Amino acid sequence: MFCFGFYGKGRSMHILAIETSCDETAVAVVEVRPDGACTLAARVYSQLAEHAPYMGVVPEIASRAHLERLPQLVDEVLAEYGQGFAGLAAIAATTGPGLTTALAIGAAYAKTLALGAGLPFVPVNHIEGHALSPMLADADLKPPYLLFLLTGGHSQLVMVKDVGQYELLGATLDDAVGECFDKVGKLLGLPHPAGPMVETLAAQGTAGMVPLPKPLYDTSLTLSFSGLKTAVREAVQGGLYQPADIAASFQANVAAVLAKKCANALKQTGAATCVVAGGVAANGAIRAALQAACAEHGARFTAPPLKLCTDNAEMIALAAGLRLLHGLVPQNALAAAVLPRWPLESLSGSNG
Ligand code: KG4
Ligand code: ZN
């Protein structure tokens, strides 16, 4: 059990959440209160091995694996939770963005459970889950804060004004940073998703040994990674450099650009706190660079623990609970469609 916050006052609710937007099947029960949250049970089944031979996520394989694993994971989480459906306030699922067929399995399963148990269903935006996830581990973190969202599909600077109120400040023009790590890893012969292995390889090399660009290292909040990826391809094909030095030089430039963008956003918004979230937030060099940029600008820096950086159901349960507490769940939630595209900023001003 992992808890934060002050207990003993305020409303509390237990949420069962299902996350199946990509290649992780995840289920959790989280207690959500206005003043904190507490994971009561959680499981993640990673489909990595199933997708590995194809060097990417295959939607058909993902949905079949979700279908095969989900019932057992839900049973295990409910057994560990121990209070049955009677203890739950709602059942939530990620309904976008993500792979349509993968999303559909988690959403249909959660809706069916909710109907059967007579509980409300809460549709959750996956990116909102990542945006709020640091609150699961940081008792003092409350909006407003600056969010640097770094996943395999998104690279965005977002002002989290409140639960459900998000302003997009800047984003990538092309590849997401995680996607770039994965493509660079592929160029270096590493299996998908290569991000963590690029970091391991970089630790054996020397940054600065390979001349690579720092794209859009300027005062804007716009990011771009495709040029850096192309430069890495040329460095690999040229055969002059050690793979570890290429990885280290690449990672250092990404970290430098992200730190610069973070500093720009802190200057522009005057935010007192900066949060990094998403799978790439697991990268130590990137965390360190962002932490240094925050320290330089007198801002507090926070990042979720590693297990909450990558896809999980705890963040979906937290987002669902906070939406319920803020009265932000649509009335016809059971009719919510799965949305392969669902920008975070589109949530502002609506109830989901
Ligand atoms: O947030 P996430 O689990 O899934 C979504 O995209 O929603 O992020 C996955 C991405 C992948 O591109 C993966 O390679 C990258 O995060 N990643 C990393 C590291 N760990 C995961 N990239 C760089 N360094 C890491 N340590
Ligand atoms: Zn994600």
Side-chain angles (χ1 to χ4, degrees), residues 173-322:
L173 294 173
D174 37 60
D175 290 353
V177 62
E179 186 183 359
C180 186
F181 263 92
D182 294 340
K183 287 177 178 172
V184 161
K186 192 173 175 180
L187 290 168
L188 293 169
L190 301 171
H192 185 89
M197 279 162 280
V198 171
E199 182 177 11
T200 307
L201 185 61
Q204 297 154 27
T206 308
M209 290 291 279
V210 183
L212 294 173
K214 282 188 198 151
L216 296 183
Y217 192 82
D218 57 22
T219 56
S220 78
L221 299 181
T222 306
L223 298 147
S224 168
F225 294 106
S226 64
L228 179 55
K229 177 190 63 192
T230 305
V232 168
R233 176 180 294 121
E234 281 161 12
V236 171
Q237 286 169 350
L240 288 174
Y241 304 106
Q242 293 298 321
D245 289 337
I246 297 177
S249 304
F250 160 75
Q251 182 177 269
N253 282 18
V254 172
V257 168
L258 294 179
K260 173 81 172 135
K261 300 295 168 179
C262 179
N264 294 347
L266 288 172
K267 259 189 236 161
Q268 185 176 307
T269 60
T273 305
C274 175
V275 162
V276 63
V280 183
N283 185 289
I286 290 174
R287 277 186 188 229
L290 294 177
Q291 189 152 24
C294 287
E296 204 173 301
H297 289 80
R300 191 163 83 88
F301 174 79
T302 185
L306 295 190
K307 78 180 176 80
L308 291 175
C309 283
T310 46
D311 290 348
N312 63 86
E314 291 159 70
M315 66 184 194
I316 303 304
L318 175 70
L322 292 174

Side-chain angles (χ1 to χ4, degrees), residues 126 130 151 311 315:
H126 179 83
H130 277 304
T151 76
D311 290 348
M315 66 184 194

Side-chain angles (χ1 to χ4, degrees), residues 49-199:
E50 272 125 298
H51 298 284
Y54 306 95
M55 297 299 279
V57 178
V58 183
E60 289 81 358
I61 293 177
S63 17
R64 193 172 320 131
H66 287 312
L67 201 53
E68 283 168 5
R69 296 286 170 161
L70 193 52
Q72 189 194 333
L73 287 185
V74 170
D75 287 352
E76 283 175 21
V77 163
L78 282 173
E80 189 177 327
Y81 169 55
Q83 299 181 39
F85 288 104
L88 296 174
I91 298 181
T94 307
T95 52
L99 302 170
T100 308
T101 50
L103 289 164
I105 286 169
Y109 203 84
K111 286 179 184 180
T112 310
L113 288 177
L115 269 174
L119 289 166
F121 170 70
V122 184
V124 175
N125 180 298
H126 179 83
I127 306 301
E128 184 173 44
H130 277 304
L132 302 176
S133 65
M135 285 199 230
L136 272 165
D138 187 335
D140 302 322
L141 181 65
K142 295 276 173 290
Y145 54 81
L146 175 69
L147 167 74
F148 213 166
L149 185 67
L150 304 171
T151 76
H154 295 82
S155 300
Q156 299 181 339
L157 278 157
V158 176
M159 197 64 205
V160 177
K161 296 175 173 171
D162 201 348
V163 175
Q165 293 293 327
Y166 309 101
E167 183 190 346
L168 181 65
L169 303 172
T172 178
L173 294 173
D174 37 60
D175 290 353
V177 62
E179 186 183 359
C180 186
F181 263 92
D182 294 340
K183 287 177 178 172
V184 161
K186 192 173 175 180
L187 290 168
L188 293 169
L190 301 171
H192 185 89
M197 279 162 280
V198 171
E199 182 177 11

